[in-house]
PDB file of all heavy atoms in Angstrom:
ATOM      1  N   ASP A 468     117.580  94.340-120.076  1.00 93.00           N
ATOM      2  CA  ASP A 468     118.933  94.569-119.776  1.00 93.00           C
ATOM      3  C   ASP A 468     119.080  95.117-118.418  1.00 93.00           C
ATOM      4  O   ASP A 468     118.928  96.265-118.163  1.00 93.00           O
ATOM      5  CB  ASP A 468     119.579  95.552-120.834  1.00 93.00           C
ATOM      6  CG  ASP A 468     121.042  95.688-120.675  1.00 93.00           C
ATOM      7  OD1 ASP A 468     121.592  95.522-119.597  1.00 93.00           O
ATOM      8  OD2 ASP A 468     121.768  96.040-121.713  1.00 93.00           O
ATOM      9  N   LEU A 469     119.421  94.302-117.416  1.00 94.00           N
ATOM     10  CA  LEU A 469     119.467  94.640-115.999  1.00 94.00           C
ATOM     11  C   LEU A 469     120.486  95.750-115.812  1.00 94.00           C
ATOM     12  O   LEU A 469     120.346  96.689-115.019  1.00 94.00           O
ATOM     13  CB  LEU A 469     119.807  93.454-115.134  1.00 94.00           C
ATOM     14  CG  LEU A 469     118.590  92.725-114.596  1.00 94.00           C
ATOM     15  CD1 LEU A 469     119.116  91.568-113.741  1.00 94.00           C
ATOM     16  CD2 LEU A 469     117.748  93.635-113.730  1.00 94.00           C
ATOM     17  N   ASP A 470     121.666  95.672-116.467  1.00 93.00           N
ATOM     18  CA  ASP A 470     122.683  96.599-116.312  1.00 93.00           C
ATOM     19  C   ASP A 470     122.238  98.005-116.755  1.00 93.00           C
ATOM     20  O   ASP A 470     122.496  99.031-116.126  1.00 93.00           O
ATOM     21  CB  ASP A 470     123.955  96.259-117.051  1.00 93.00           C
ATOM     22  CG  ASP A 470     124.639  95.021-116.477  1.00 93.00           C
ATOM     23  OD1 ASP A 470     124.456  94.766-115.272  1.00 93.00           O
ATOM     24  OD2 ASP A 470     125.442  94.400-117.243  1.00 93.00           O
ATOM     25  N   ARG A 471     121.555  98.048-117.909  1.00 95.00           N
ATOM     26  CA  ARG A 471     121.020  99.370-118.366  1.00 95.00           C
ATOM     27  C   ARG A 471     119.974  99.900-117.384  1.00 95.00           C
ATOM     28  O   ARG A 471     119.993 101.085-117.104  1.00 95.00           O
ATOM     29  CB  ARG A 471     120.339  99.147-119.765  1.00 95.00           C
ATOM     30  CG  ARG A 471     119.720 100.397-120.353  1.00 95.00           C
ATOM     31  CD  ARG A 471     119.358 100.267-121.734  1.00 95.00           C
ATOM     32  NE  ARG A 471     118.355  99.269-121.955  1.00 95.00           N
ATOM     33  CZ  ARG A 471     117.874  98.915-123.259  1.00 95.00           C
ATOM     34  NH1 ARG A 471     118.419  99.506-124.300  1.00 95.00           N
ATOM     35  NH2 ARG A 471     116.906  98.043-123.344  1.00 95.00           N
ATOM     36  N   ALA A 472     119.178  99.126-116.836  1.00 94.00           N
ATOM     37  CA  ALA A 472     118.134  99.488-115.856  1.00 94.00           C
ATOM     38  C   ALA A 472     118.768 100.048-114.618  1.00 94.00           C
ATOM     39  O   ALA A 472     118.370 101.200-114.155  1.00 94.00           O
ATOM     40  CB  ALA A 472     117.281  98.433-115.430  1.00 94.00           C
ATOM     41  N   ARG A 473     119.879  99.429-114.130  1.00 94.00           N
ATOM     42  CA  ARG A 473     120.513  99.945-112.946  1.00 94.00           C
ATOM     43  C   ARG A 473     121.303 101.272-113.258  1.00 94.00           C
ATOM     44  O   ARG A 473     121.145 102.185-112.362  1.00 94.00           O
ATOM     45  CB  ARG A 473     121.615  98.881-112.507  1.00 94.00           C
ATOM     46  CG  ARG A 473     122.276  99.157-111.195  1.00 94.00           C
ATOM     47  CD  ARG A 473     121.381  99.117-109.953  1.00 94.00           C
ATOM     48  NE  ARG A 473     120.614 100.340-109.642  1.00 94.00           N
ATOM     49  CZ  ARG A 473     119.584 100.474-108.892  1.00 94.00           C
ATOM     50  NH1 ARG A 473     119.066  99.260-108.361  1.00 94.00           N
ATOM     51  NH2 ARG A 473     118.965 101.519-108.576  1.00 94.00           N
ATOM     52  N   VAL A 474     121.883 101.342-114.425  1.00 94.00           N
ATOM     53  CA  VAL A 474     122.537 102.586-114.686  1.00 94.00           C
ATOM     54  C   VAL A 474     121.562 103.843-114.865  1.00 94.00           C
ATOM     55  O   VAL A 474     121.732 104.873-114.365  1.00 94.00           O
ATOM     56  CB  VAL A 474     123.362 102.401-116.001  1.00 94.00           C
ATOM     57  CG1 VAL A 474     123.815 103.800-116.539  1.00 94.00           C
ATOM     58  CG2 VAL A 474     124.566 101.552-115.813  1.00 94.00           C
ATOM     59  N   ALA A 475     120.445 103.460-115.521  1.00 94.00           N
ATOM     60  CA  ALA A 475     119.441 104.494-115.796  1.00 94.00           C
ATOM     61  C   ALA A 475     118.837 104.970-114.471  1.00 94.00           C
ATOM     62  O   ALA A 475     118.603 106.199-114.236  1.00 94.00           O
ATOM     63  CB  ALA A 475     118.308 104.043-116.647  1.00 94.00           C
ATOM     64  N   ALA A 476     118.538 104.055-113.581  1.00 94.00           N
ATOM     65  CA  ALA A 476     118.014 104.390-112.285  1.00 94.00           C
ATOM     66  C   ALA A 476     118.987 105.255-111.513  1.00 94.00           C
ATOM     67  O   ALA A 476     118.630 106.319-110.882  1.00 94.00           O
ATOM     68  CB  ALA A 476     117.635 103.133-111.462  1.00 94.00           C
ATOM     69  N   ASP A 477     120.232 104.936-111.442  1.00 94.00           N
ATOM     70  CA  ASP A 477     121.233 105.597-110.697  1.00 94.00           C
ATOM     71  C   ASP A 477     121.420 106.965-111.283  1.00 94.00           C
ATOM     72  O   ASP A 477     121.534 107.943-110.467  1.00 94.00           O
ATOM     73  CB  ASP A 477     122.620 104.860-110.713  1.00 94.00           C
ATOM     74  CG  ASP A 477     122.468 103.470-109.905  1.00 94.00           C
ATOM     75  OD1 ASP A 477     121.514 103.285-109.144  1.00 94.00           O
ATOM     76  OD2 ASP A 477     123.416 102.717-110.096  1.00 94.00           O
ATOM     77  N   GLU A 478     121.438 107.063-112.595  1.00 92.00           N
ATOM     78  CA  GLU A 478     121.754 108.346-113.250  1.00 92.00           C
ATOM     79  C   GLU A 478     120.643 109.442-112.917  1.00 92.00           C
ATOM     80  O   GLU A 478     120.808 110.608-113.004  1.00 92.00           O
ATOM     81  CB  GLU A 478     121.871 108.245-114.736  1.00 92.00           C
ATOM     82  CG  GLU A 478     123.278 107.536-115.143  1.00 92.00           C
ATOM     83  CD  GLU A 478     123.362 107.460-116.621  1.00 92.00           C
ATOM     84  OE1 GLU A 478     122.351 107.640-117.371  1.00 92.00           O
ATOM     85  OE2 GLU A 478     124.435 107.214-117.120  1.00 92.00           O
ATOM     86  N   HIS A 479     119.413 108.915-112.740  1.00 93.00           N
ATOM     87  CA  HIS A 479     118.295 109.808-112.435  1.00 93.00           C
ATOM     88  C   HIS A 479     117.914 109.944-111.045  1.00 93.00           C
ATOM     89  O   HIS A 479     116.801 110.341-110.741  1.00 93.00           O
ATOM     90  CB  HIS A 479     117.085 109.299-113.400  1.00 93.00           C
ATOM     91  CG  HIS A 479     117.321 109.489-114.835  1.00 93.00           C
ATOM     92  ND1 HIS A 479     117.918 108.538-115.588  1.00 93.00           N
ATOM     93  CD2 HIS A 479     116.987 110.545-115.678  1.00 93.00           C
ATOM     94  CE1 HIS A 479     117.995 109.003-116.824  1.00 93.00           C
ATOM     95  NE2 HIS A 479     117.443 110.198-116.886  1.00 93.00           N
ATOM     96  N   GLY A 480     118.831 109.541-110.127  1.00 93.00           N
ATOM     97  CA  GLY A 480     118.566 109.742-108.773  1.00 93.00           C
ATOM     98  C   GLY A 480     117.806 108.671-108.060  1.00 93.00           C
ATOM     99  O   GLY A 480     117.254 108.918-106.990  1.00 93.00           O
ATOM    100  N   TYR A 481     117.712 107.522-108.652  1.00 94.00           N
ATOM    101  CA  TYR A 481     116.908 106.386-108.073  1.00 94.00           C
ATOM    102  C   TYR A 481     117.847 105.273-107.600  1.00 94.00           C
ATOM    103  O   TYR A 481     117.606 104.084-107.926  1.00 94.00           O
ATOM    104  CB  TYR A 481     115.943 105.941-109.060  1.00 94.00           C
ATOM    105  CG  TYR A 481     114.845 106.971-109.357  1.00 94.00           C
ATOM    106  CD1 TYR A 481     114.762 107.457-110.696  1.00 94.00           C
ATOM    107  CD2 TYR A 481     113.924 107.408-108.452  1.00 94.00           C
ATOM    108  CE1 TYR A 481     113.836 108.397-111.075  1.00 94.00           C
ATOM    109  CE2 TYR A 481     112.940 108.407-108.771  1.00 94.00           C
ATOM    110  CZ  TYR A 481     112.912 108.868-110.053  1.00 94.00           C
ATOM    111  OH  TYR A 481     111.973 109.762-110.365  1.00 94.00           O
ATOM    112  N   ALA A 482     118.946 105.541-106.976  1.00 93.00           N
ATOM    113  CA  ALA A 482     119.861 104.503-106.510  1.00 93.00           C
ATOM    114  C   ALA A 482     119.210 103.483-105.597  1.00 93.00           C
ATOM    115  O   ALA A 482     119.667 102.297-105.508  1.00 93.00           O
ATOM    116  CB  ALA A 482     121.103 105.181-105.843  1.00 93.00           C
ATOM    117  N   ASP A 483     118.209 103.895-104.845  1.00 93.00           N
ATOM    118  CA  ASP A 483     117.556 102.879-103.903  1.00 93.00           C
ATOM    119  C   ASP A 483     116.347 102.179-104.544  1.00 93.00           C
ATOM    120  O   ASP A 483     115.768 101.336-103.810  1.00 93.00           O
ATOM    121  CB  ASP A 483     117.111 103.678-102.657  1.00 93.00           C
ATOM    122  CG  ASP A 483     118.241 104.296-101.862  1.00 93.00           C
ATOM    123  OD1 ASP A 483     119.409 103.733-101.942  1.00 93.00           O
ATOM    124  OD2 ASP A 483     118.065 105.329-101.264  1.00 93.00           O
ATOM    125  N   VAL A 484     116.035 102.513-105.751  1.00 94.00           N
ATOM    126  CA  VAL A 484     114.900 101.805-106.387  1.00 94.00           C
ATOM    127  C   VAL A 484     115.316 100.516-107.017  1.00 94.00           C
ATOM    128  O   VAL A 484     116.322 100.448-107.676  1.00 94.00           O
ATOM    129  CB  VAL A 484     114.355 102.803-107.491  1.00 94.00           C
ATOM    130  CG1 VAL A 484     113.294 102.045-108.387  1.00 94.00           C
ATOM    131  CG2 VAL A 484     113.700 104.020-106.905  1.00 94.00           C
ATOM    132  N   PRO A 485     114.557  99.479-106.696  1.00 95.00           N
ATOM    133  CA  PRO A 485     114.898  98.118-107.283  1.00 95.00           C
ATOM    134  C   PRO A 485     114.676  98.053-108.819  1.00 95.00           C
ATOM    135  O   PRO A 485     113.798  98.715-109.325  1.00 95.00           O
ATOM    136  CB  PRO A 485     113.895  97.149-106.526  1.00 95.00           C
ATOM    137  CG  PRO A 485     112.733  98.033-106.148  1.00 95.00           C
ATOM    138  CD  PRO A 485     113.325  99.402-105.896  1.00 95.00           C
ATOM    139  N   VAL A 486     115.485  97.246-109.383  1.00 95.00           N
ATOM    140  CA  VAL A 486     115.421  96.958-110.854  1.00 95.00           C
ATOM    141  C   VAL A 486     115.239  95.501-111.060  1.00 95.00           C
ATOM    142  O   VAL A 486     115.591  94.663-110.210  1.00 95.00           O
ATOM    143  CB  VAL A 486     116.620  97.514-111.636  1.00 95.00           C
ATOM    144  CG1 VAL A 486     116.827  99.004-111.462  1.00 95.00           C
ATOM    145  CG2 VAL A 486     117.900  96.729-111.221  1.00 95.00           C
ATOM    146  N   ALA A 487     114.642  95.141-112.233  1.00 95.00           N
ATOM    147  CA  ALA A 487     114.409  93.720-112.548  1.00 95.00           C
ATOM    148  C   ALA A 487     114.313  93.489-114.003  1.00 95.00           C
ATOM    149  O   ALA A 487     114.151  94.531-114.745  1.00 95.00           O
ATOM    150  CB  ALA A 487     113.190  93.163-111.844  1.00 95.00           C
ATOM    151  N   ALA A 488     114.398  92.335-114.357  1.00 94.00           N
ATOM    152  CA  ALA A 488     114.317  91.999-115.863  1.00 94.00           C
ATOM    153  C   ALA A 488     112.877  91.717-116.283  1.00 94.00           C
ATOM    154  O   ALA A 488     112.622  91.669-117.494  1.00 94.00           O
ATOM    155  CB  ALA A 488     115.247  90.799-116.248  1.00 94.00           C
ATOM    156  N   SER A 489     111.908  91.585-115.326  1.00 93.00           N
ATOM    157  CA  SER A 489     110.550  91.336-115.686  1.00 93.00           C
ATOM    158  C   SER A 489     109.640  92.013-114.744  1.00 93.00           C
ATOM    159  O   SER A 489     110.048  92.247-113.559  1.00 93.00           O
ATOM    160  CB  SER A 489     110.231  89.792-115.718  1.00 93.00           C
ATOM    161  OG  SER A 489     110.324  89.344-114.381  1.00 93.00           O
ATOM    162  N   LEU A 490     108.457  92.326-115.198  1.00 94.00           N
ATOM    163  CA  LEU A 490     107.470  93.048-114.381  1.00 94.00           C
ATOM    164  C   LEU A 490     107.083  92.114-113.213  1.00 94.00           C
ATOM    165  O   LEU A 490     106.929  92.555-112.012  1.00 94.00           O
ATOM    166  CB  LEU A 490     106.195  93.316-115.227  1.00 94.00           C
ATOM    167  CG  LEU A 490     105.107  94.092-114.568  1.00 94.00           C
ATOM    168  CD1 LEU A 490     105.526  95.451-114.115  1.00 94.00           C
ATOM    169  CD2 LEU A 490     103.843  94.271-115.473  1.00 94.00           C
ATOM    170  N   GLU A 491     106.968  90.809-113.436  1.00 93.00           N
ATOM    171  CA  GLU A 491     106.553  89.863-112.364  1.00 93.00           C
ATOM    172  C   GLU A 491     107.456  89.921-111.195  1.00 93.00           C
ATOM    173  O   GLU A 491     106.983  89.677-110.002  1.00 93.00           O
ATOM    174  CB  GLU A 491     106.509  88.472-112.979  1.00 93.00           C
ATOM    175  CG  GLU A 491     105.447  88.225-114.020  1.00 93.00           C
ATOM    176  CD  GLU A 491     105.803  88.840-115.387  1.00 93.00           C
ATOM    177  OE1 GLU A 491     106.915  89.299-115.612  1.00 93.00           O
ATOM    178  OE2 GLU A 491     104.860  88.879-116.266  1.00 93.00           O
ATOM    179  N   GLU A 492     108.745  90.229-111.344  1.00 92.00           N
ATOM    180  CA  GLU A 492     109.717  90.145-110.232  1.00 92.00           C
ATOM    181  C   GLU A 492     109.451  91.288-109.259  1.00 92.00           C
ATOM    182  O   GLU A 492     109.802  91.124-108.138  1.00 92.00           O
ATOM    183  CB  GLU A 492     111.116  90.207-110.806  1.00 92.00           C
ATOM    184  CG  GLU A 492     111.580  89.056-111.541  1.00 92.00           C
ATOM    185  CD  GLU A 492     112.987  89.235-112.149  1.00 92.00           C
ATOM    186  OE1 GLU A 492     113.855  89.520-111.373  1.00 92.00           O
ATOM    187  OE2 GLU A 492     113.127  89.147-113.423  1.00 92.00           O
ATOM    188  N   LEU A 493     108.785  92.387-109.709  1.00 93.00           N
ATOM    189  CA  LEU A 493     108.663  93.552-108.923  1.00 93.00           C
ATOM    190  C   LEU A 493     107.322  93.879-108.397  1.00 93.00           C
ATOM    191  O   LEU A 493     107.097  94.571-107.390  1.00 93.00           O
ATOM    192  CB  LEU A 493     109.211  94.841-109.751  1.00 93.00           C
ATOM    193  CG  LEU A 493     110.715  94.958-109.870  1.00 93.00           C
ATOM    194  CD1 LEU A 493     111.018  96.224-110.549  1.00 93.00           C
ATOM    195  CD2 LEU A 493     111.460  94.843-108.534  1.00 93.00           C
ATOM    196  N   VAL A 494     106.264  93.257-109.005  1.00 91.00           N
ATOM    197  CA  VAL A 494     104.899  93.597-108.681  1.00 91.00           C
ATOM    198  C   VAL A 494     104.629  93.378-107.177  1.00 91.00           C
ATOM    199  O   VAL A 494     104.023  94.233-106.573  1.00 91.00           O
ATOM    200  CB  VAL A 494     103.947  92.736-109.527  1.00 91.00           C
ATOM    201  CG1 VAL A 494     102.531  92.832-109.022  1.00 91.00           C
ATOM    202  CG2 VAL A 494     103.921  93.258-111.018  1.00 91.00           C
ATOM    203  N   ASP A 495     104.976  92.281-106.722  1.00 83.00           N
ATOM    204  CA  ASP A 495     104.599  91.835-105.339  1.00 83.00           C
ATOM    205  C   ASP A 495     105.383  92.728-104.249  1.00 83.00           C
ATOM    206  O   ASP A 495     104.798  93.102-103.236  1.00 83.00           O
ATOM    207  CB  ASP A 495     104.817  90.355-105.027  1.00 83.00           C
ATOM    208  CG  ASP A 495     103.834  89.525-105.769  1.00 83.00           C
ATOM    209  OD1 ASP A 495     102.739  90.030-106.087  1.00 83.00           O
ATOM    210  OD2 ASP A 495     104.168  88.354-106.018  1.00 83.00           O
ATOM    211  N   ARG A 496     106.606  92.946-104.532  1.00 84.00           N
ATOM    212  CA  ARG A 496     107.418  93.620-103.488  1.00 84.00           C
ATOM    213  C   ARG A 496     107.521  95.180-103.667  1.00 84.00           C
ATOM    214  O   ARG A 496     108.068  95.800-102.818  1.00 84.00           O
ATOM    215  CB  ARG A 496     108.868  93.050-103.506  1.00 84.00           C
ATOM    216  CG  ARG A 496     109.676  93.129-104.743  1.00 84.00           C
ATOM    217  CD  ARG A 496     110.927  92.246-104.574  1.00 84.00           C
ATOM    218  NE  ARG A 496     111.838  92.258-105.693  1.00 84.00           N
ATOM    219  CZ  ARG A 496     112.876  93.022-105.844  1.00 84.00           C
ATOM    220  NH1 ARG A 496     113.118  93.768-104.923  1.00 84.00           N
ATOM    221  NH2 ARG A 496     113.638  92.972-106.981  1.00 84.00           N
ATOM    222  N   SER A 497     106.926  95.696-104.713  1.00 84.00           N
ATOM    223  CA  SER A 497     107.011  97.143-104.920  1.00 84.00           C
ATOM    224  C   SER A 497     105.758  97.931-104.407  1.00 84.00           C
ATOM    225  O   SER A 497     105.841  99.143-104.287  1.00 84.00           O
ATOM    226  CB  SER A 497     107.156  97.433-106.339  1.00 84.00           C
ATOM    227  OG  SER A 497     105.980  97.062-107.122  1.00 84.00           O
TER     228      SER A 497
END
């Protein structure tokens, strides 16, 4: 749930942290 990930990141002070629906989407660029 991308919306849940974005909300959770923002609520915990990670507004600049990328979110994704799969691990594969973030492995290379993180």
